[in-house]
Amino acid sequence: MAFLCLVLISCSKDNSINHQQVKYEIDLELVKMNNRELSSRILEIINIHRDSLGLNTLQLDNQYSSALAVDHSLYMIDINELNHDNFGYRSEAIKFYQKAQTVNEIVGYGYDTAEEVVNAWLNSTSHKVIIEGDFTHTGFGVLKSENDRNYFTQIFYKK
């Protein structure tokens, strides 16, 4: 049985990290672990949906946001729990490296196809707001756990 995490967190000024005190480290090689086929199909479906509403399509960031998304999916697999732990760090890192203005993310677990996970997200008001939000770029961390279940982290940001 598949389920979807409905907890979403966005960064506010109170959660900001002082860039002068933090060195944002992420291994860009993590991107190679992402399921490119599944994430490409998710992006295609989301961009078709956004285009149908007259919204800009999202550009794939296959560097920092995807590496951070993969890292988060690995973390969720490791603790066997959907969450947005350390979102503030991911958000600030993307703001630092990609000069993003705003950042948000959605997560999911257990879906076998891109269509299933996107439909679930679009049927959740809080996820739909993010998918249809004022963003320009996205990154993915789509990974299969040892129990053969997919974990999804999608990060959205606006430059």
Side-chain angles (χ1 to χ4, degrees), residues 29-139:
E29 293 292 311
L30 288 172
V31 173
K32 293 177 182 178
M33 297 177 70
N34 181 49
N35 182 328
R36 285 184 189 242
E37 182 179 329
L38 199 49
S39 58
S40 292
R41 180 68 181 136
I42 292 168
L43 180 58
E44 178 183 15
I45 295 167
I46 286 175
N47 276 338
I48 289 169
H49 176 76
R50 288 176 61 89
D51 187 57
S52 75
L53 299 173
L55 301 171
N56 63 291
T57 56
L58 300 172
Q59 295 178 29
L60 177 62
D61 169 7
N62 219 8
Q63 291 187 357
Y64 291 100
S65 68
S66 288
L68 289 158
V70 167
D71 188 57
H72 185 62
S73 289
L74 286 168
Y75 170 76
M76 291 190 300
I77 289 169
D78 187 49
I79 66 169
N80 195 31
E81 175 186 300
L82 284 180
N83 62 63
H84 294 279
D85 292 355
N86 304 310
F87 172 75
Y89 180 86
R90 288 187 296 284
S91 175
E92 292 300 317
I94 293 167
K95 289 176 182 178
F96 179 76
Y97 285 115
Q98 302 297 67
K99 308 301 182 227
Q101 297 172 20
T102 57
V103 180
N104 217 321
E105 74 179 16
I106 55 181
V107 297
Y109 164 80
Y111 298 98
D112 293 322
T113 69
E115 290 78 9
E116 289 173 343
V117 71
V118 173
N119 284 335
W121 285 336
L122 289 174
N123 285 318
S124 161
T125 303
S126 58
H127 290 82
K128 185 176 180 180
V129 166
I130 294 170
I131 288 171
E132 296 175 357
D134 186 18
F135 298 106
T136 57
H137 294 77
T138 192

